Every structure is written in C-alpha cells, then in structure tokens.
C-alpha cells in the first residue's frame, strides 16, 4: 500500500475539518441521551439526522422493536425504544461496507455529569465524548471525505446509528444482523484505548434477570407462614458467584438484588440481576446450562423462580478474517504514522453482533480516550482527525481493492 494523490486529497479534506469535527462532538455530548431518556434520545436523533443530510446519501429513521424488561418489583413489562438512523449510499455497488455506532450513553437524564469541559492537559472530559459521540463525528467525517475520492463508486456503504447499545442492543439487534449478513466489511466506532490500541478478540455477554417469588407474612406474628424471597435470592446469588473459576474464561457478575419490603414483613419478591462473560460458544453453552439448572431448583420450599434474559452478544474470536482485516488496518495505519496494535477485551459491543452475522469488522475505530462509563470519561482532541483519516484511508484502500473486502467476507463465511 501507498498513499496516492487521490488518497491524500481525502486525508487533507479531513484535516481541514478538524475544528468542526471536535466542535460538533462537544455540542452532541452536551445533549443527554441516556439509553432510557426518550426525550434526550429524540433530540439527539434530530441533530444527527440534520448532520447526516449533508452527505450524498439516503437518510431514514428506522423503527426499532420493543423489548421485555423486568422491573425491581418482579413485574415484566414491555419497553419501547427510539428509532435508529440509517444512512445509505450506493446499495447496489459490488462491495458493501457497514459502519455502525450508537447515540445512547450510560448517563441517565438525572446524572450530574451533563456537560463537556477541557482538562488542564487538554483532554475533553464529558458524557459520551469518547463513547461514542466522538466516534460518530469521526465516522461522518471519514465518509464525507471519502465521497470526494474518484474510486468511491465501486463501494456502497450503510451507516446504522442505534439508540440502545449501552443496554445490550435489544431493539437494534435485528437491524445489525441484517446488515452484517449482507455487508463485506464492518467498521464500528467504539473508542480505542488512550494510546490507540484496538480491541481484538472479544468475549460474549449474557444478561439475566431471575424473579424470585415467595410468600409475605408478618415477621413477628407469623414468620413461619412466610417464604422469604430475598433470602432465597441471596442463596442463589452466592451460588452464581460460586460458578466463577469453574470454567476457563467464564465470569459471573451478580450486579443487583432488588426487592423486599418493611423490616417487619417477610419479603415475597426479589429479582437477581447478573451478567456472564464467555470466551467461546462452548463456554456459553456451559454457563447457560448452569444458570438454567439453578433457576430450575428453588433453594427452599415455597419459592418459585422465573428466569428471563440470556445471551445478547456472541463471542468474537480472532478468526482468519479478523486477523487478515487487522493486518490490513495495521498497514494503513503505518502509512499515516499511526502504529496499530490490538489486544483481547472482555468488553462487548455491536462488533460482536456484526461478527455473529458473518461480517468481519474492526470495532474500535473511534477516538482515543478512556475512563468511559464514568464522570472521568475523556477524549484526546488530536485523535479526532487522526482516527477519521485512518477510516477514510481504509475506505480508499477498499475502493482500490488493496484491502480485499470480498475475500475477507469469504474467509469469515468459512468459519461461520
């Protein structure tokens, strides 16, 4: 690979937009769009739709499916989700690139972390500056620049910006699966580490909610008539925690026990919420069987158990297609003076969904930053142009055939 004159023009286009790429990220991060903040998500969607219409592409809002949630009182409810934003150019082109991101954050409407500031060291500190409103800004900048390249007509692309990644993509998962099945290469804009390191292999993830129902009674006058759901939940939580260390690479995190009532009432309801992480399908099958066995046997008489949830993201190993794609991105990065390295991650993202659908993908092409999911979240301003140029060059090299997208897809299908 080498940087051609036409490639350099694309890279220069990105560089010239530096201040705008950063400024819109700050504006977007100042809009609260927590995953369950419906008003904030709709505001953010309006802003993104307006920005997307700057591109020579079709822009449309895609309704998402509802999902089932378990409330802390054990009731099962249907939850609606905001629309996804789909941006499409040249859907009939022989090579199709899928670019994904999410416009929700982990910070609810009532969070005290609402605005962007600049740290003394120059880093931006704000909700979503790295995860991933900065990534969306990088994504759009790369596409805007690529659309000036003379070889662009051989590559079609589709962007999907989803409203629910931070809660496991329950609403947008079918959309991701559809795009993954028909695309050749995927680019996703989760943040890289602060030094630019990418996530390589990713574990799979499952979210479970176990409803424990007992029998209420007066804690003093009729204790023996009650069946304590909170006590049962605690026993089950301890058993779940005890599964750690029993299978290589599998972790179980008991995140929350909800339920109970006044101190003089035997609790008749509780909910145990837990997450599992697995390195491969065999591990996923093992832990799922363990969980279901626990959920089939109440810890003492008088309790009933009702398990909800399961795996939301399959493992994403470094198979042949992933390895070849990472090596190609490493070569592109070297042309830009960007050393590209990667390492395994226990985290999950839309890249897991895309890979499961048959799409080789790089899923940490967003800005360099860190401390995500906390009020210390930060992004380095210099990385906005840097990372947009990397994506733009990847697109140029796909268009030129120097990154063989069709071969990468073929490799992935061999191991699907």
């Amino acid at each position: 690979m080498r940087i051609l004159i036409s490639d350099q023009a694309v890279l220069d286009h990105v560089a010239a937009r530096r201040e705008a790429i950063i400024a819109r990220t700050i504006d977007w991060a100042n809009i609260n769009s927590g995953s369950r903040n419906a008003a904030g998500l709709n505001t953010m969607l309006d802003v993104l739709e307006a920005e997307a219409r700057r591109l020579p592409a079709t822009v449309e809002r895609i309704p998402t499916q509802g999902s089932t949630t378990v409330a802390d009182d054990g009731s099962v409810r249907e939850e609606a989700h905001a629309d996804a934003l789909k941006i499409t150019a040249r859907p009939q082109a022989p090579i199709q690139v899928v670019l994904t991101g999410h416009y929700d954050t982990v910070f609810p409407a009532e969070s005290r972390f609402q605005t962007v500031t600049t740290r003394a060291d120059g880093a931006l500190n704000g909700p979503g500056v790295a995860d991933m409103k900065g990534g969306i800004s990088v994504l759009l900048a790369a596409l805007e620049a690529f659309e000036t390249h003379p070889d662009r007509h051989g590559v079609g692309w589709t962007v999907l910006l989803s409203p629910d990644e931070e809660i496991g993509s329950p609403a947008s998962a079918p959309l991701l699966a559809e795009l993954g099945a028909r695309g050749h290469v995927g680019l996703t804009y989760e943040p890289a580490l602060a030094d630019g390191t990418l996530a390589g292999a990713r574990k799979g993830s499952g979210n479970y909610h176990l409803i424990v129902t007992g029998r209420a009674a007066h804690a003093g006058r009729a204790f023996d008539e009650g069946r304590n759901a909170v006590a049962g939940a605690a026993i089950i939580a301890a058993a779940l925690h005890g599964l750690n260390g029993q299978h290589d690479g599998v972790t179980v995190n008991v995140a929350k026990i909800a339920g109970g009532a006044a101190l003089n009432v035997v609790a008749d309801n509780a909910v145990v919420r837990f997450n599992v992480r697995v390195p491969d399908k065999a591990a996923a099958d093992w832990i799922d069987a363990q969980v279901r066995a626990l959920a089939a046997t109440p810890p003492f008489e008088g309790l009933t158990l009702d398990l909800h949830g399961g795996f939301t993201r399959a493992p994403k190993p470094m198979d042949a297609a992933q390895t070849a794609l990472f090596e190609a991105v490493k070569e592109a990065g070297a042309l830009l003076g960007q050393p590209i390295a990667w390492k395994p991650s226990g985290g999950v993202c839309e890249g897991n969904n895309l890979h499961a659908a048959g799409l080789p993908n790089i899923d940490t092409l967003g800005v360099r930053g860190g401390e995500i999911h906390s009020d210390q979240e930060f992004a380095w301003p210099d990385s906005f142009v840097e990372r947009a140029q990397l994506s733009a060059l990847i697109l140029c090299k796909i268009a030129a055939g120097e990154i063989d997208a069709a071969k990468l897809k073929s490799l992935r299908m061999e191991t699907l």
Side-chain angles (χ1 to χ4, degrees):
M1 284 187 200
R2 60 191 181 92
I3 296 176
L4 305 176
I5 293 174
S6 54
D7 300 334
Q8 188 60 55
V10 168
L11 300 176
D12 291 344
H13 187 286
V14 172
R17 294 268 295 150
R18 180 184 188 276
E19 297 307 318
I21 297 168
I22 296 172
R24 69 185 176 191
T25 300
I26 294 171
D27 290 342
W28 296 347
N30 285 332
I31 300 171
N32 183 287
S33 57
S35 302
R36 291 187 166 90
N37 178 6
L41 288 166
N42 285 328
T43 298
M44 189 69 220
L45 187 58
D46 288 341
V47 171
L48 289 172
E49 182 177 6
E51 192 71 12
R53 292 195 181 282
R54 296 163 52 91
L55 291 164
T58 301
V59 180
E60 55 186 324
R61 297 189 183 206
I62 306 297
T64 56
Q65 67 177 17
S67 64
T68 300
T69 61
V70 177
D72 283 351
D73 64 0
S75 61
V76 179
R77 305 172 183 174
E78 290 298 316
E79 181 179 15
H81 299 276
D83 293 345
L85 190 68
K86 186 178 180 182
I87 315 163
T88 309
R90 297 181 294 278
Q92 303 307 317
I95 296 297
Q96 293 295 317
V97 178
V98 176
L99 305 95
T100 74
H102 62 89
Y103 65 91
D104 64 323
T105 73
V106 299
F107 305 103
E110 63 272 17
S111 171
R112 292 188 297 175
F113 188 42
Q114 296 280 1
T115 56
V116 180
T117 60
T118 302
R119 299 190 323 198
D121 62 2
L124 299 176
N125 166 227
V129 288
D131 186 20
M132 62 177 297
K133 292 173 181 178
I136 294 174
S137 189
V138 163
L139 180 164
L140 296 177
L143 288 174
E144 183 180 2
F146 175 65
E147 286 302 302
T148 68
H149 196 278
D151 293 337
R152 65 188 180 278
H153 300 290
V155 176
W157 49 261
T158 302
V159 176
L160 185 74
L161 301 179
S162 61
D164 62 335
E165 191 279 335
E166 296 293 8
I167 54 173
S169 302
S172 56
L175 301 176
L176 293 166
E178 177 189 351
L179 290 177
R182 61 184 179 84
H184 293 88
V185 171
L187 309 177
T188 294
Y189 288 81
E190 294 291 336
L193 297 182
D195 64 358
T197 299
L198 308 178
R202 286 187 180 272
K203 286 188 173 184
S205 175
N207 295 321
Y208 294 85
H209 312 272
L210 181 63
I211 303 170
V212 184
T213 304
R215 184 185 308 141
H218 192 288
R221 182 177 298 178
F223 179 80
D224 290 344
E225 296 177 10
R227 295 295 182 267
N228 195 307
V230 170
I235 294 168
I236 294 168
L240 288 166
H241 182 72
L243 294 172
N244 286 300
Q246 293 191 26
H247 194 291
D248 189 36
V250 175
T251 58
V252 182
N253 179 54
V254 180
K256 183 178 182 181
I257 299 178
L263 292 177
N264 63 348
V265 176
V266 176
D268 66 350
N269 73 284
V271 179
V272 185
R273 304 186 191 278
F274 56 101
N275 172 265
V276 301
R277 301 287 167 122
V278 297
D280 51 42
K281 185 179 185 302
D285 292 342
W286 178 84
I287 191 60
D288 189 68
Q290 298 298 312
V291 166
R292 295 189 184 281
L294 282 172
T297 309
F300 52 81
E301 183 271 332
L303 297 182
T304 60
L305 307 179
D306 184 16
L307 182 67
H308 291 257
F311 275 87
T312 57
R313 309 210 197 263
K316 182 188 173 189
M318 284 295 291
D319 57 21
Q322 290 297 117
T323 300
L325 178 56
F326 270 85
E327 291 295 342
V329 170
K330 181 178 180 179
E331 189 175 351
L335 294 176
L336 296 168
Q338 299 180 27
I340 302 294
W342 53 92
K343 64 181 182 181
S345 172
V348 295
C349 72
E350 292 172 346
N352 292 70
N353 300 67
L354 296 174
H355 184 267
L359 189 70
N361 67 88
I362 303 286
D363 61 30
T364 37
L365 287 168
V367 297
R368 290 186 290 110
E371 303 290 343
I372 62 173
H373 295 192
S374 81
D375 62 5
Q376 302 302 306
E377 179 176 350
F378 72 91
W380 293 110
D382 286 347
S383 71
F384 286 74
V385 164
E386 169 192 305
R387 304 295 284 184
Q389 288 182 328
L390 177 61
S391 284
L393 187 58
I394 291 169
L395 291 167
C396 292
K397 294 310 177 187
I398 290 173
E402 294 179 79
I403 296 178
D404 191 339
K407 182 177 180 180
L408 290 168
K409 178 70 170 186
S410 177
L411 284 173
R412 175 66 191 112
M413 296 306 292
E414 290 174 8
T415 57
L416 188 63

